[in-house]
Amino acid sequence: MLLRNLQPEDLSEIIAIESDNFDPSEKIEDDSFYYYATKLPESCLVLEENHQVAAYLIAVPSDRDTVADAIFLDPASLHGQDRYLSIASLSVAEGFKGQGLATLLLAGLKEIAVAQSYQGIALTCHDYLLSFYERHGFEDRGLSASTFGGQEWYDMYWPAP
């Protein structure tokens, strides 16, 4: 398994995985994925097996310690002092689930956050994922202001050491 940064060539596979794993109302627009791949590859990670994307994590530098809906719709608007990383999407392809790939991606992003002096990592998730992220050192900050996709989300935060 190879951990590397996102490349534009990965977009078709990533968009397919996103479509397979998320409700259409929660799916990130293709234009946003293109922006991540061309403008922010240093904070976006891919796990690859035999030249196939097995999992990915999209993170965007932000000046907020919570995730703003703009991360999904207009990621270019988030740039400011960029003290935090905000996770837009973390997803594992069907044939690779249950192998710890999400854990590897989170560890890789934490390394980036520490190496580049970010203060922490923010994300939103559904309530059924709270314990997963808590096991990985994220703090539950309660119900999020995010309304992306008309869904209810919870804010999670990992403070960099």
Side-chain angles (χ1 to χ4, degrees):
M1 193 74 56
L2 172 67
L3 177 65
R4 60 171 174 77
N5 291 101
L6 175 65
Q7 300 169 358
E9 298 79 31
D10 300 322
L11 288 176
S12 62
E13 289 181 271
I14 285 174
I15 290 168
I17 295 167
E18 179 87 0
S19 294
D20 289 346
N21 289 335
F22 289 93
D23 183 88
S25 67
E26 300 171 353
K27 184 184 171 304
I28 295 173
E29 296 294 325
D30 295 357
D31 289 347
S32 292
F33 277 117
Y34 179 79
Y35 182 86
Y36 306 139
T38 58
K39 304 291 186 195
L40 301 170
E42 66 280 351
S43 61
C44 299
L45 300 172
V46 167
L47 278 168
E48 176 185 300
E49 177 78 20
N50 297 323
H51 306 290
Q52 177 185 1
V53 174
Y56 66 87
L57 186 156
I58 305 296
V60 176
S62 173
D63 60 358
R64 301 176 53 155
D65 66 352
T66 58
V67 174
D69 284 349
I71 193 175
F72 311 110
L73 307 168
D74 184 18
S77 70
L78 292 175
H79 291 297
Q81 295 183 20
D82 295 344
R83 297 175 295 168
Y84 306 94
L85 288 172
S86 292
I87 296 177
S89 187
L90 190 165
S91 199
V92 178
E94 190 60 41
F96 295 94
K97 290 183 178 180
Q99 299 178 31
L101 303 188
T103 297
L104 292 173
L105 289 168
L106 288 171
L109 188 63
K110 288 175 182 179
E111 287 182 20
I112 290 170
V114 171
Q116 295 182 11
S117 301
Y118 287 102
Q119 292 181 15
I121 301 171
L123 64 88
T124 56
C125 67
H126 289 294
D127 58 356
Y128 62 86
L129 289 169
L130 291 171
S131 63
F132 170 79
Y133 287 111
E134 286 173 336
R135 285 192 309 271
H136 291 87
F138 285 80
E139 304 165 354
D140 178 2
R141 291 190 164 177
L143 200 57
S144 177
S146 174
T147 59
F148 181 68
Q151 302 291 315
E152 186 173 84
W153 302 98
Y154 288 82
D155 285 323
M156 302 292 288
Y157 182 74
W158 177 80

